[in-house]
Amino acid sequence: MKNIWFITNPASGSATGAKAEALLAVFEERGLALVGRTAFPKDDLPSGDALDAAGADTVVLFAGDGTINAAVCALAKWDGAILILPGGTMNLLAKELHGTADPSSIIHAAHERGEIVSLPFVEAGQHRALVGLILGPATSWVHARELVRSGKLRGLVRALRHAVRRTFSRGIRLEGVPGLEHHAQAVFVRPGKERLDIAAVDARDFRSIAALGWEWLTGDWVAARAVTQVFAERFRIGGRKPVLALFDGEPVMLDPATQICGGRTSEMFIRTLRAD
């Protein structure tokens, strides 16, 4: 960890411009050279070739889980290291790798004693989720969430009505998941060491709908109460129509019969949290 390419997303939950500038001072304090910088999504993400040409050995990501997912997928075959800093709303990946440490402390620890590890992911076609995949009618809350995040309140009421109406709909059908009831309102799929962790949420009454909606709007979408939890190596999308899926919170349409399975990245992530 000597030559840094710094990727930020100023629109993420806590990755403000002022905080990003403060981290540049930390790089300098540690004697780390800044060889490139990207403000995503205004700037395109760097390719592995661009990083190599600049002499970067480490990409530092100060953004939310969605931006981190995009960058990691783009650099899946790059040979360098990636340091994830908490710059979003939930920062689940950063917590897994560093606990509750703040960005400055993480940089110091990574430079002193960081170790390189791989991470599991959920995969569906060309799409991957490092934090988790969400399926089912409750994914329609993403439209209201994006309006709230962007401060565009016009159309929010319409988006909320649509989300409630969709959440009360029939639900999603999955194939190849024994023990999981069909037509769940939301299915949360998280990567595991050997199998996928699948939790189905069935929110039929208004109180449950309101709670689920609030979790979407506040960004804490993994807080929904799991009614059924099972484990599987792989499964498929049922039905005959494409379904909306959220990969680390980012929307993607999946075709019916799409297979969902698990995988593991190469060893590229810097971890400062001591392993158990």
Side-chain angles (χ1 to χ4, degrees):
M1 186 174 170
K2 296 179 179 179
N3 299 324
I4 303 298
W5 191 294
F6 193 31
I7 299 177
T8 64
N9 185 342
S12 294
S14 57
T16 64
K19 290 182 179 179
E21 292 301 319
L23 293 180
L24 296 180
V26 180
F27 295 153
E28 185 175 357
E29 180 183 350
R30 299 298 311 189
L32 302 172
L34 182 68
V35 298
R37 187 171 180 180
T38 298
F40 183 79
K42 179 182 178 181
D43 302 330
D44 292 335
L45 291 169
S47 64
D49 289 341
L51 295 174
D52 290 337
D57 57 60
T58 305
V59 165
V60 177
L61 278 162
F62 183 45
D65 291 321
T67 300
I68 290 170
N69 180 294
V72 170
C73 289
L75 300 175
K77 296 182 180 180
W78 185 53
D79 291 332
I82 294 178
L83 177 63
I84 293 175
L85 303 179
T89 304
M90 294 181 292
N91 303 312
L92 296 178
L93 277 176
K95 290 176 181 176
E96 181 178 347
L97 294 166
H98 314 297
T100 58
D102 62 84
S104 177
S105 298
I106 292 172
I107 294 171
H108 287 293
H111 193 218
E112 293 172 359
R113 54 177 173 79
E115 62 174 330
I116 305 296
V117 300
S118 64
L119 291 176
F121 57 77
V122 181
E123 185 173 50
Q126 62 180 343
H127 306 289
R128 292 180 176 181
L130 293 163
V131 173
L133 166 67
I134 305 178
L135 301 163
T139 55
S140 59
W141 285 91
V142 71
H143 303 301
R145 183 197 69 185
E146 292 307 310
L147 289 173
V148 171
R149 281 185 175 181
S150 62
K152 299 178 181 178
L153 300 184
R154 185 177 182 180
L156 179 59
V157 172
R158 183 169 61 254
L160 290 172
R161 288 175 177 171
H162 173 73
V164 171
R165 184 169 61 253
R166 288 284 295 125
T167 308
F168 273 119
S169 66
R170 188 176 182 183
I172 190 169
R173 181 181 180 86
L174 303 177
E175 299 175 354
V177 192
L180 187 69
E181 296 291 335
H182 291 309
H183 311 310
Q185 307 317 110
V187 177
F188 299 81
V189 186
R190 303 188 196 182
K193 292 183 178 179
E194 297 180 358
R195 296 179 296 170
L196 300 174
D197 183 346
I198 306 168
V201 176
D202 194 356
R204 296 290 177 176
D205 60 274
F206 183 79
R207 182 176 180 180
S208 297
I209 292 293
L212 182 60
W214 177 254
E215 287 154 6
W216 275 111
L217 295 179
T218 57
D220 194 9
W221 46 265
V222 296
R225 180 173 56 91
V227 175
T228 305
Q229 184 177 31
V230 297
F231 297 89
E233 293 183 357
R234 61 187 71 241
F235 64 92
R236 296 180 303 280
I237 303 293
R240 300 180 179 179
K241 298 180 179 180
V243 300
L244 178 63
L246 301 179
F247 288 80
D248 292 347
E250 299 303 314
V252 172
M253 294 301 297
L254 294 180
D255 293 329
T258 295
Q259 179 174 268
I260 297 170
C261 58
R264 198 166 190 91
T265 68
S266 61
E267 293 186 348
M268 63 190 311
F269 296 95
I270 300 177
R271 181 175 66 191
T272 62
L273 189 66
R274 297 292 186 182
D276 294 333

